[in-house]
Amino acid sequence: MVSTNDLKNGMVLDLNGELWQVQWFQHHKPGKGNTVVRSKLKHVLSGKIIDKTFNSDTKVDTATIDRRDMQYLYLDGEDYVFMDNTTYDQVHISADVVGEARFYLLDNQSATVAMHEGIPLFIELPASVELEITYTEPGLQGDRSTGGTKPATLETGKEIQVPLFITTGEKIKVDTRDGSYISRVNG
């Protein structure tokens, strides 16, 4: 149990037997009445996001989430196979749980797997990853200025927008939260 005054981003709450992750919260003091806590909660299994308002200092149940550093090994049919870095146990995680993270996973990449009572809930990746461009249209001479973008396909199959000067075969840094281009990787 925790007070709504102690909410933190990323905390997982157990509301009526369902797990919700706090995405955002704000303490709000209206002109009249008691302070309330406004929040955006994301359903851990379905990904649905809701707005919920709690009275200040209300007690809510928190879920015990076990976050483990794991290494992505390979895709086995529909399941993604991860290895626990401490016990070397292999865990099969369904594509539904991996979700959008699959577009940023390469073999042997580290990720944090959040589990509740032995059941994988979601994958947390680093804020950015380095991926190679497998295909993009060539840029035209003179397209070196800021501004325009073009589609590019990454080695994981994800298509993102990149600046016009990026070419096939280059490595780029990609933001795993929204899939946006960050920078070129020099090397």
Side-chain angles (χ1 to χ4, degrees), residues 71-83 90-93 98 105-109:
Q71 184 177 16
Y72 170 63
L73 298 178
Y74 57 91
L75 180 62
D76 181 21
E78 292 293 313
D79 290 346
Y80 291 77
V81 181
F82 287 81
M83 179 181 68
Q90 291 188 7
V91 179
H92 288 256
I93 301 177
V98 173
L105 279 175
L106 294 175
D107 291 353
N108 302 318
Q109 182 178 339

PDB file of all heavy atoms in Angstrom, residues 71-83 90-93 98 105-109:
ATOM      1  N   GLN A  71      19.292 -10.621 -21.615  1.00  0.00           N
ATOM      2  CA  GLN A  71      19.900 -10.484 -22.935  1.00  0.00           C
ATOM      3  C   GLN A  71      18.976 -11.146 -23.946  1.00  0.00           C
ATOM      4  O   GLN A  71      18.555 -12.286 -23.759  1.00  0.00           O
ATOM      5  CB  GLN A  71      21.260 -11.164 -22.919  1.00  0.00           C
ATOM      6  CG  GLN A  71      22.045 -11.015 -24.180  1.00  0.00           C
ATOM      7  CD  GLN A  71      23.415 -11.674 -24.045  1.00  0.00           C
ATOM      8  OE1 GLN A  71      23.661 -12.458 -23.147  1.00  0.00           O
ATOM      9  NE2 GLN A  71      24.302 -11.338 -24.974  1.00  0.00           N
ATOM     10  N   TYR A  72      18.646 -10.397 -25.020  1.00  0.00           N
ATOM     11  CA  TYR A  72      17.816 -10.968 -26.082  1.00  0.00           C
ATOM     12  C   TYR A  72      18.671 -11.932 -26.894  1.00  0.00           C
ATOM     13  O   TYR A  72      19.742 -11.577 -27.368  1.00  0.00           O
ATOM     14  CB  TYR A  72      17.255  -9.860 -26.978  1.00  0.00           C
ATOM     15  CG  TYR A  72      16.593 -10.391 -28.223  1.00  0.00           C
ATOM     16  CD1 TYR A  72      15.472 -11.207 -28.137  1.00  0.00           C
ATOM     17  CD2 TYR A  72      17.093 -10.095 -29.474  1.00  0.00           C
ATOM     18  CE1 TYR A  72      14.866 -11.717 -29.280  1.00  0.00           C
ATOM     19  CE2 TYR A  72      16.498 -10.588 -30.625  1.00  0.00           C
ATOM     20  CZ  TYR A  72      15.383 -11.400 -30.519  1.00  0.00           C
ATOM     21  OH  TYR A  72      14.794 -11.905 -31.641  1.00  0.00           O
ATOM     22  N   LEU A  73      18.185 -13.178 -27.032  1.00  0.00           N
ATOM     23  CA  LEU A  73      18.950 -14.186 -27.762  1.00  0.00           C
ATOM     24  C   LEU A  73      18.473 -14.358 -29.195  1.00  0.00           C
ATOM     25  O   LEU A  73      19.238 -14.185 -30.136  1.00  0.00           O
ATOM     26  CB  LEU A  73      18.886 -15.533 -27.025  1.00  0.00           C
ATOM     27  CG  LEU A  73      19.481 -15.546 -25.614  1.00  0.00           C
ATOM     28  CD1 LEU A  73      19.309 -16.911 -24.980  1.00  0.00           C
ATOM     29  CD2 LEU A  73      20.947 -15.152 -25.653  1.00  0.00           C
ATOM     30  N   TYR A  74      17.191 -14.739 -29.376  1.00  0.00           N
ATOM     31  CA  TYR A  74      16.705 -14.999 -30.728  1.00  0.00           C
ATOM     32  C   TYR A  74      15.174 -15.073 -30.726  1.00  0.00           C
ATOM     33  O   TYR A  74      14.531 -15.137 -29.684  1.00  0.00           O
ATOM     34  CB  TYR A  74      17.287 -16.311 -31.278  1.00  0.00           C
ATOM     35  CG  TYR A  74      17.005 -17.523 -30.415  1.00  0.00           C
ATOM     36  CD1 TYR A  74      15.866 -18.306 -30.617  1.00  0.00           C
ATOM     37  CD2 TYR A  74      17.877 -17.894 -29.402  1.00  0.00           C
ATOM     38  CE1 TYR A  74      15.606 -19.408 -29.819  1.00  0.00           C
ATOM     39  CE2 TYR A  74      17.626 -19.001 -28.600  1.00  0.00           C
ATOM     40  CZ  TYR A  74      16.486 -19.752 -28.816  1.00  0.00           C
ATOM     41  OH  TYR A  74      16.221 -20.828 -28.026  1.00  0.00           O
ATOM     42  N   LEU A  75      14.619 -15.093 -31.940  1.00  0.00           N
ATOM     43  CA  LEU A  75      13.171 -15.235 -32.137  1.00  0.00           C
ATOM     44  C   LEU A  75      12.894 -16.709 -32.392  1.00  0.00           C
ATOM     45  O   LEU A  75      13.489 -17.315 -33.275  1.00  0.00           O
ATOM     46  CB  LEU A  75      12.729 -14.385 -33.332  1.00  0.00           C
ATOM     47  CG  LEU A  75      11.247 -14.409 -33.686  1.00  0.00           C
ATOM     48  CD1 LEU A  75      10.401 -13.861 -32.540  1.00  0.00           C
ATOM     49  CD2 LEU A  75      11.000 -13.586 -34.944  1.00  0.00           C
ATOM     50  N   ASP A  76      11.988 -17.294 -31.578  1.00  0.00           N
ATOM     51  CA  ASP A  76      11.632 -18.706 -31.700  1.00  0.00           C
ATOM     52  C   ASP A  76      10.155 -18.779 -32.073  1.00  0.00           C
ATOM     53  O   ASP A  76       9.296 -18.755 -31.195  1.00  0.00           O
ATOM     54  CB  ASP A  76      11.913 -19.424 -30.380  1.00  0.00           C
ATOM     55  CG  ASP A  76      11.583 -20.914 -30.449  1.00  0.00           C
ATOM     56  OD1 ASP A  76      11.526 -21.451 -31.574  1.00  0.00           O
ATOM     57  OD2 ASP A  76      11.383 -21.522 -29.385  1.00  0.00           O
ATOM     58  N   GLY A  77       9.869 -18.839 -33.371  1.00  0.00           N
ATOM     59  CA  GLY A  77       8.471 -18.821 -33.816  1.00  0.00           C
ATOM     60  C   GLY A  77       7.859 -17.467 -33.506  1.00  0.00           C
ATOM     61  O   GLY A  77       8.278 -16.446 -34.029  1.00  0.00           O
ATOM     62  N   GLU A  78       6.861 -17.438 -32.605  1.00  0.00           N
ATOM     63  CA  GLU A  78       6.209 -16.191 -32.199  1.00  0.00           C
ATOM     64  C   GLU A  78       6.814 -15.624 -30.913  1.00  0.00           C
ATOM     65  O   GLU A  78       6.501 -14.508 -30.524  1.00  0.00           O
ATOM     66  CB  GLU A  78       4.706 -16.428 -31.978  1.00  0.00           C
ATOM     67  CG  GLU A  78       3.935 -16.736 -33.247  1.00  0.00           C
ATOM     68  CD  GLU A  78       3.874 -15.546 -34.190  1.00  0.00           C
ATOM     69  OE1 GLU A  78       3.569 -14.431 -33.752  1.00  0.00           O
ATOM     70  OE2 GLU A  78       4.157 -15.739 -35.382  1.00  0.00           O
ATOM     71  N   ASP A  79       7.660 -16.410 -30.245  1.00  0.00           N
ATOM     72  CA  ASP A  79       8.214 -15.989 -28.956  1.00  0.00           C
ATOM     73  C   ASP A  79       9.622 -15.419 -29.102  1.00  0.00           C
ATOM     74  O   ASP A  79      10.419 -15.888 -29.920  1.00  0.00           O
ATOM     75  CB  ASP A  79       8.267 -17.171 -27.975  1.00  0.00           C
ATOM     76  CG  ASP A  79       6.892 -17.611 -27.511  1.00  0.00           C
ATOM     77  OD1 ASP A  79       5.923 -16.854 -27.724  1.00  0.00           O
ATOM     78  OD2 ASP A  79       6.790 -18.701 -26.933  1.00  0.00           O
ATOM     79  N   TYR A  80       9.911 -14.450 -28.253  1.00  0.00           N
ATOM     80  CA  TYR A  80      11.244 -13.877 -28.165  1.00  0.00           C
ATOM     81  C   TYR A  80      11.922 -14.525 -26.964  1.00  0.00           C
ATOM     82  O   TYR A  80      11.338 -14.581 -25.883  1.00  0.00           O
ATOM     83  CB  TYR A  80      11.159 -12.362 -27.994  1.00  0.00           C
ATOM     84  CG  TYR A  80      10.658 -11.663 -29.235  1.00  0.00           C
ATOM     85  CD1 TYR A  80       9.313 -11.665 -29.566  1.00  0.00           C
ATOM     86  CD2 TYR A  80      11.549 -11.020 -30.088  1.00  0.00           C
ATOM     87  CE1 TYR A  80       8.852 -11.041 -30.718  1.00  0.00           C
ATOM     88  CE2 TYR A  80      11.099 -10.386 -31.240  1.00  0.00           C
ATOM     89  CZ  TYR A  80       9.753 -10.405 -31.544  1.00  0.00           C
ATOM     90  OH  TYR A  80       9.318  -9.790 -32.684  1.00  0.00           O
ATOM     91  N   VAL A  81      13.135 -15.023 -27.155  1.00  0.00           N
ATOM     92  CA  VAL A  81      13.840 -15.734 -26.095  1.00  0.00           C
ATOM     93  C   VAL A  81      14.875 -14.799 -25.468  1.00  0.00           C
ATOM     94  O   VAL A  81      15.733 -14.248 -26.162  1.00  0.00           O
ATOM     95  CB  VAL A  81      14.516 -17.020 -26.619  1.00  0.00           C
ATOM     96  CG1 VAL A  81      15.224 -17.748 -25.495  1.00  0.00           C
ATOM     97  CG2 VAL A  81      13.484 -17.918 -27.281  1.00  0.00           C
ATOM     98  N   PHE A  82      14.764 -14.626 -24.149  1.00  0.00           N
ATOM     99  CA  PHE A  82      15.685 -13.802 -23.383  1.00  0.00           C
ATOM    100  C   PHE A  82      16.396 -14.679 -22.366  1.00  0.00           C
ATOM    101  O   PHE A  82      15.838 -15.667 -21.888  1.00  0.00           O
ATOM    102  CB  PHE A  82      14.926 -12.701 -22.628  1.00  0.00           C
ATOM    103  CG  PHE A  82      14.428 -11.594 -23.503  1.00  0.00           C
ATOM    104  CD1 PHE A  82      13.262 -11.739 -24.237  1.00  0.00           C
ATOM    105  CD2 PHE A  82      15.117 -10.391 -23.586  1.00  0.00           C
ATOM    106  CE1 PHE A  82      12.793 -10.714 -25.042  1.00  0.00           C
ATOM    107  CE2 PHE A  82      14.654  -9.362 -24.387  1.00  0.00           C
ATOM    108  CZ  PHE A  82      13.492  -9.520 -25.123  1.00  0.00           C
ATOM    109  N   MET A  83      17.626 -14.300 -22.008  1.00  0.00           N
ATOM    110  CA  MET A  83      18.372 -15.028 -20.987  1.00  0.00           C
ATOM    111  C   MET A  83      18.632 -14.093 -19.809  1.00  0.00           C
ATOM    112  O   MET A  83      19.110 -12.972 -19.985  1.00  0.00           O
ATOM    113  CB  MET A  83      19.710 -15.527 -21.540  1.00  0.00           C
ATOM    114  CG  MET A  83      20.540 -16.273 -20.517  1.00  0.00           C
ATOM    115  SD  MET A  83      22.126 -16.818 -21.175  1.00  0.00           S
ATOM    116  CE  MET A  83      22.971 -15.256 -21.412  1.00  0.00           C
ATOM    117  N   GLN A  90      16.565 -19.233 -19.438  1.00  0.00           N
ATOM    118  CA  GLN A  90      15.975 -18.663 -20.647  1.00  0.00           C
ATOM    119  C   GLN A  90      14.477 -18.496 -20.449  1.00  0.00           C
ATOM    120  O   GLN A  90      13.819 -19.377 -19.906  1.00  0.00           O
ATOM    121  CB  GLN A  90      16.275 -19.549 -21.849  1.00  0.00           C
ATOM    122  CG  GLN A  90      17.740 -19.517 -22.224  1.00  0.00           C
ATOM    123  CD  GLN A  90      18.037 -20.240 -23.524  1.00  0.00           C
ATOM    124  OE1 GLN A  90      17.140 -20.677 -24.229  1.00  0.00           O
ATOM    125  NE2 GLN A  90      19.312 -20.360 -23.844  1.00  0.00           N
ATOM    126  N   VAL A  91      13.970 -17.343 -20.887  1.00  0.00           N
ATOM    127  CA  VAL A  91      12.551 -17.025 -20.747  1.00  0.00           C
ATOM    128  C   VAL A  91      11.976 -16.760 -22.126  1.00  0.00           C
ATOM    129  O   VAL A  91      12.548 -15.980 -22.903  1.00  0.00           O
ATOM    130  CB  VAL A  91      12.366 -15.768 -19.852  1.00  0.00           C
ATOM    131  CG1 VAL A  91      10.910 -15.402 -19.720  1.00  0.00           C
ATOM    132  CG2 VAL A  91      13.004 -15.977 -18.491  1.00  0.00           C
ATOM    133  N   HIS A  92      10.860 -17.403 -22.446  1.00  0.00           N
ATOM    134  CA  HIS A  92      10.164 -17.155 -23.702  1.00  0.00           C
ATOM    135  C   HIS A  92       9.107 -16.082 -23.445  1.00  0.00           C
ATOM    136  O   HIS A  92       8.262 -16.247 -22.568  1.00  0.00           O
ATOM    137  CB  HIS A  92       9.493 -18.439 -24.219  1.00  0.00           C
ATOM    138  CG  HIS A  92      10.472 -19.439 -24.728  1.00  0.00           C
ATOM    139  ND1 HIS A  92      10.663 -19.660 -26.070  1.00  0.00           N
ATOM    140  CD2 HIS A  92      11.341 -20.270 -24.087  1.00  0.00           C
ATOM    141  CE1 HIS A  92      11.597 -20.586 -26.223  1.00  0.00           C
ATOM    142  NE2 HIS A  92      12.015 -20.975 -25.033  1.00  0.00           N
ATOM    143  N   ILE A  93       9.142 -15.002 -24.240  1.00  0.00           N
ATOM    144  CA  ILE A  93       8.219 -13.885 -24.057  1.00  0.00           C
ATOM    145  C   ILE A  93       7.453 -13.694 -25.354  1.00  0.00           C
ATOM    146  O   ILE A  93       8.039 -13.603 -26.432  1.00  0.00           O
ATOM    147  CB  ILE A  93       8.972 -12.598 -23.660  1.00  0.00           C
ATOM    148  CG1 ILE A  93       9.746 -12.857 -22.351  1.00  0.00           C
ATOM    149  CG2 ILE A  93       8.013 -11.434 -23.513  1.00  0.00           C
ATOM    150  CD1 ILE A  93      10.590 -11.700 -21.897  1.00  0.00           C
ATOM    151  N   VAL A  98       6.328  -8.163 -25.849  1.00  0.00           N
ATOM    152  CA  VAL A  98       7.481  -7.420 -26.372  1.00  0.00           C
ATOM    153  C   VAL A  98       7.000  -6.140 -27.053  1.00  0.00           C
ATOM    154  O   VAL A  98       7.593  -5.079 -26.899  1.00  0.00           O
ATOM    155  CB  VAL A  98       8.315  -8.293 -27.337  1.00  0.00           C
ATOM    156  CG1 VAL A  98       9.408  -7.476 -28.006  1.00  0.00           C
ATOM    157  CG2 VAL A  98       8.909  -9.472 -26.587  1.00  0.00           C
ATOM    158  N   LEU A 105      15.209  -4.408 -31.127  1.00  0.00           N
ATOM    159  CA  LEU A 105      15.971  -5.517 -30.557  1.00  0.00           C
ATOM    160  C   LEU A 105      16.888  -6.158 -31.585  1.00  0.00           C
ATOM    161  O   LEU A 105      16.456  -6.538 -32.661  1.00  0.00           O
ATOM    162  CB  LEU A 105      15.019  -6.602 -30.034  1.00  0.00           C
ATOM    163  CG  LEU A 105      14.403  -6.382 -28.670  1.00  0.00           C
ATOM    164  CD1 LEU A 105      13.398  -7.492 -28.382  1.00  0.00           C
ATOM    165  CD2 LEU A 105      15.449  -6.319 -27.590  1.00  0.00           C
ATOM    166  N   LEU A 106      18.149  -6.291 -31.222  1.00  0.00           N
ATOM    167  CA  LEU A 106      19.115  -7.032 -32.018  1.00  0.00           C
ATOM    168  C   LEU A 106      19.616  -8.189 -31.166  1.00  0.00           C
ATOM    169  O   LEU A 106      19.583  -8.127 -29.938  1.00  0.00           O
ATOM    170  CB  LEU A 106      20.296  -6.138 -32.409  1.00  0.00           C
ATOM    171  CG  LEU A 106      19.988  -4.985 -33.352  1.00  0.00           C
ATOM    172  CD1 LEU A 106      21.223  -4.123 -33.553  1.00  0.00           C
ATOM    173  CD2 LEU A 106      19.489  -5.508 -34.693  1.00  0.00           C
ATOM    174  N   ASP A 107      20.098  -9.251 -31.808  1.00  0.00           N
ATOM    175  CA  ASP A 107      20.636 -10.389 -31.065  1.00  0.00           C
ATOM    176  C   ASP A 107      21.688  -9.922 -30.064  1.00  0.00           C
ATOM    177  O   ASP A 107      22.502  -9.050 -30.366  1.00  0.00           O
ATOM    178  CB  ASP A 107      21.266 -11.405 -32.023  1.00  0.00           C
ATOM    179  CG  ASP A 107      20.209 -12.108 -32.870  1.00  0.00           C
ATOM    180  OD1 ASP A 107      19.004 -11.905 -32.633  1.00  0.00           O
ATOM    181  OD2 ASP A 107      20.599 -12.859 -33.787  1.00  0.00           O
ATOM    182  N   ASN A 108      21.642 -10.512 -28.871  1.00  0.00           N
ATOM    183  CA  ASN A 108      22.585 -10.249 -27.775  1.00  0.00           C
ATOM    184  C   ASN A 108      22.454  -8.863 -27.159  1.00  0.00           C
ATOM    185  O   ASN A 108      23.324  -8.445 -26.394  1.00  0.00           O
ATOM    186  CB  ASN A 108      24.032 -10.502 -28.211  1.00  0.00           C
ATOM    187  CG  ASN A 108      24.236 -11.913 -28.696  1.00  0.00           C
ATOM    188  OD1 ASN A 108      23.719 -12.854 -28.096  1.00  0.00           O
ATOM    189  ND2 ASN A 108      24.933 -12.074 -29.794  1.00  0.00           N
ATOM    190  N   GLN A 109      21.382  -8.154 -27.448  1.00  0.00           N
ATOM    191  CA  GLN A 109      21.164  -6.836 -26.865  1.00  0.00           C
ATOM    192  C   GLN A 109      20.596  -6.975 -25.458  1.00  0.00           C
ATOM    193  O   GLN A 109      19.793  -7.860 -25.179  1.00  0.00           O
ATOM    194  CB  GLN A 109      20.192  -6.036 -27.733  1.00  0.00           C
ATOM    195  CG  GLN A 109      19.953  -4.645 -27.217  1.00  0.00           C
ATOM    196  CD  GLN A 109      19.029  -3.873 -28.145  1.00  0.00           C
ATOM    197  OE1 GLN A 109      18.890  -4.212 -29.313  1.00  0.00           O
ATOM    198  NE2 GLN A 109      18.405  -2.857 -27.617  1.00  0.00           N
TER     199      GLN A 109
END
